[in-house]
Amino acid sequence: MLKSGHTVSETAPGAMPRHVAIIMDGNGRWAAKRHMPRVAGHRQGVETVRVIVRAAGELGIEYLTLYGFSSENWNRPAEEVSDLMGLLRLFIRRDLAELHQNGVQVRVIGDRDHLDADIVALIGEAEALTRNNTRLKLIIAFNYGGQSEITSAMRRIAREVQAGHLDPDTITPATVSAHLDTAGIPDPDLIIRTSGEMRLSNFLLWQSAYSELVFADALWPDFTPEGLRAAVDEYRRRNRRFGATGPDDATCGEG
Ligand code: IPE
Ligand code: IPE
Ligand code: MG
């Protein structure tokens, strides 16, 4: 809460988020509004990805995670699934060199087992080429679902216990984190969802425990660097407590 007498602009802004994660939603509605096929919205959405990746780098964000395809998006018509796969191919082929030149490190999280072999190869190529880059870490969640990520982690932990390499009594939340696709990546400070929907849709379920959530009305193809900046500003005005008391809270017993 703001102290009485202070307006938002007078309040000293808090720290920048290190890790911003975005649920890029609303491509289909963007196309429908224009009487265009859904794929046109997805294509325009890729243009927004380019613009927002650049803007995130300029803002000094260290980690940017983009939700590109969920494990539940396979339930869409086959043609749309194939369009989305095609757009990932196109994005990597067309943008990889430029991302690399700009010092962007690319990492893809999600289940690769059911992706076409050429896509798996492209992902591997993008990760290998950019692995030593340090400017912006771009994490693409593709064929990603939080529940299946946690389930896979549980399975691997169980195997380590079964093999006698891990004592169940020593398992902590850090053990779980280390077995997720996001091992080594700090939890997202800020999660933005576009298009006005207010849910996580299976995105970063474990990692979002203390993330700040900002919902933007803009459909993803209409989302702009100003929208990103506004979400970051909103984040910086929030008071994160992590279950503790904040600096503005009255001391117990005071009146
Ligand atoms: C987000 O846009 C892109 C993906 C989920 C792949 P949608 O395709 O979900 O667009 P809406 O929600 O139908 O408008
Ligand atoms: C979430 O959007 C997945 C991505 C943005 C990739 P959806 O459009 O699939 O989510 P629901 O179905 O509205 O929850
Ligand atoms: Mg949607």
Side-chain angles (χ1 to χ4, degrees):
M1 283 291 288
L2 299 169
K3 282 181 188 165
S4 58
H6 285 231
T7 66
V8 165
S9 57
E10 282 169 346
T11 306
M16 281 289 291
R18 279 186 80 192
H19 182 177
V20 175
I22 308 183
I23 303 172
M24 311 183 287
D25 198 14
N27 295 348
R29 278 162 283 167
W30 184 93
K33 265 173 51 179
R34 287 162 180 76
H35 309 287
M36 290 157 90
R38 290 178 62 85
V39 66
H42 295 314
R43 271 194 215 113
Q44 195 59 39
V46 175
E47 297 306 317
T48 305
V49 168
R50 295 198 171 97
V51 171
I52 294 301
V53 169
R54 208 171 304 129
E58 284 164 9
L59 275 173
I61 290 165
E62 274 180 74
Y63 296 86
L64 176 69
T65 299
L66 300 177
Y67 201 6
F69 189 89
S70 79
S71 46
E72 288 72 38
N73 287 148
W74 291 103
N75 296 322
R76 297 186 178 200
E79 194 189 329
E80 180 166 352
V81 169
S82 137
D83 287 339
L84 288 165
M85 297 291 156
L87 283 169
L88 179 71
R89 283 188 185 94
L90 188 76
F91 176 70
I92 295 179
R93 287 204 191 107
R94 206 171 98 178
D95 289 63
L96 181 58
E98 194 187 322
L99 290 168
H100 182 46
Q101 258 173 16
N102 293 333
V104 177
Q105 184 189 102
V106 179
R107 179 158 158 188
V108 178
I109 58 170
D111 182 5
R112 292 184 200 182
D113 286 354
H114 300 101
L115 298 178
D116 287 351
D118 73 300
I119 293 190
V120 176
L122 273 173
I123 290 172
E125 190 189 317
E127 289 181 333
L129 179 69
T130 63
R131 71 178 325 127
N132 295 318
N133 292 344
T134 53
R135 189 148 174 268
L136 169 72
K137 281 146 181 135
L138 173 64
I139 300 133
I140 300 171
F142 200 85
N143 194 19
Y144 174 87
Q147 291 184 341
S148 82
E149 179 193 39
I150 294 168
T151 306
S152 302
M154 292 309 145
R155 209 175 285 130
R156 271 184 286 140
I157 289 171
R159 274 200 206 102
E160 287 175 32
V161 169
Q162 195 177 38
H165 300 316
L166 186 63
D167 174 358
D169 290 335
T170 66
I171 296 173
T172 63
T175 316
V176 178
S177 293
H179 285 78
L180 297 173
D181 293 2
T182 51
I185 299 171
D187 288 343
D189 301 293
L190 167 63
I191 296 181
I192 302 168
R193 183 170 187 148
T194 60
S195 89
E197 305 290 359
M198 298 189 189
R199 54 176 171 267
L200 287 175
S201 299
N202 210 4
F203 188 47
L204 301 178
L205 297 182
W206 173 274
Q207 301 86 337
S208 62
Y210 274 101
S211 302
E212 294 295 328
L213 309 180
V214 170
F215 299 100
D217 285 332
L219 302 172
W220 175 250
D222 292 328
F223 194 65
T224 59
E226 290 69 42
L228 176 64
R229 226 165 287 137
V232 166
D233 286 347
E234 160 82 26
Y235 166 87
R236 297 177 74 186
R237 290 192 295 267
R238 300 257 180 104
N239 183 3
R240 301 183 82 187
R241 296 192 194 83
F242 301 97
T245 47
D248 289 353
D249 292 315
T251 311
C252 217
E254 252 184 16

